Amino acid sequence: MSLDAPRGTGADLVEDWTAEPVVESSTPFEGIIFDVVRERVDLGAGGVVTRDFVTHPGAVAVLALRELDGSPHVLLIRQYRHASGGHVWELPAGLLDVDGEPPWEAAARELVEEVDLTADEWHVLADDVTSPGAFPETVRIFLARGLHEVAAADAHQRTAEELGIRPLWVSLDDAVDAALDGRISNSATLVGLLSAGLSRGRGWSTLRPHDAPWPAREAQRAQRS
């Protein structure tokens, strides 16, 4: 079928976030951050199937960028992630767990809380659905520029895993190389770095407004409301 599939263009690559009818729904597990949901879904000719998936409030990540020595540098942080069993390099990030808080404001809050920075300029860099088949966490990656340090008196008091955060400025080219070399492996950071590398090569013309529509998240929220 693949070789005989019709040809298309980029204009055809629009995702349809219309859910199929749910026949039955239950929640076998309720957790601190996420739940496990089991639903029977009517796929029409495909029959009624049972699918388990993890619900999640969604998240934001920030690719903070500044010029150092004449080249763009991105701020990465090394943080312990117990579920993954180790310390990983990633972008500053956090949950969309404040009711009514716009995603870009959540991103600005996380930038302050994790690395003591604010930014004058915000754009949407990329959107990511972590694993559409089982873990449909929606993550929006922002590009933050025009950076400023938070005054010491206003710095966030970090605890738990955040207390051990190690920040590091790395050239965007080196960070992209690390991603392609397999030294960075978490989804949002990969999406952010590779998108930034491509967007930079196009003069940042691909950037979207900080409050651009987010169809995947909007559809999930509507479905779960």
Side-chain angles (χ1 to χ4, degrees):
M1 179 176 67
S2 298
L3 292 177
D4 294 329
R7 294 180 62 179
T9 68
D12 298 311
L13 302 178
V14 179
E15 294 173 316
D16 179 3
W17 294 102
T18 303
E20 300 295 345
V22 176
V23 176
E24 182 180 356
S25 180
S26 62
T27 306
F29 172 80
E30 295 185 5
I32 298 173
I33 296 175
F34 58 81
D35 300 335
V36 176
V37 173
R38 175 168 296 164
E39 291 186 340
R40 298 182 67 234
V41 186
D42 187 353
L43 299 181
V48 175
V49 298
T50 301
R51 294 290 181 263
D52 291 344
F53 59 92
V54 176
T55 64
H56 192 280
V60 290
V62 184
L63 193 146
L65 199 71
R66 65 185 294 211
E67 291 288 324
L68 288 172
D69 301 323
S71 65
H73 279 60
V74 59
L75 185 61
L76 296 174
I77 59 175
R78 184 176 183 268
Q79 186 171 0
Y80 179 63
R81 293 299 190 184
H82 185 69
S84 299
H87 297 79
V88 301
W89 285 103
E90 58 187 23
L91 299 175
L95 298 174
L96 287 167
D97 55 0
V98 177
D99 290 340
E101 184 179 41
W104 78 271
E105 291 187 7
R109 173 172 53 81
E110 291 295 340
L111 192 64
V112 170
E113 292 181 358
E114 294 201 339
V115 292
D116 303 321
L117 292 177
T118 62
D120 294 332
E121 187 178 354
W122 290 88
H123 287 92
V124 173
L125 183 60
D127 294 326
D128 176 35
V129 180
T130 305
S131 179
F135 188 43
E137 176 188 12
T138 51
V139 183
R140 170 155 279 188
I141 300 103
F142 290 89
L143 177 69
R145 294 179 289 186
L147 303 171
H148 307 278
E149 290 187 358
V150 174
D154 299 326
H156 181 71
Q157 298 301 307
R158 288 181 279 275
T159 60
E161 289 92 344
E162 290 185 349
L163 189 62
I165 283 177
R166 175 191 166 193
L168 187 68
W169 285 103
V170 180
S171 78
L172 178 57
D173 289 337
D174 284 351
V176 169
D177 287 344
L180 294 174
D181 194 40
R183 287 176 280 131
I184 293 176
S185 57
N186 70 87
S187 175
T189 303
L190 285 172
V191 171
L193 291 174
L194 297 179
S195 295
L198 289 170
S199 187
R200 175 195 174 200
R202 300 181 183 187
W204 301 109
S205 63
T206 65
L207 298 179
R208 287 173 279 157
H210 69 276
D211 56 354
W214 192 355
R217 176 168 171 76
E218 292 160 6
Q220 287 189 25
R221 294 180 69 186
Q223 184 181 359
R224 300 298 159 203
S225 62

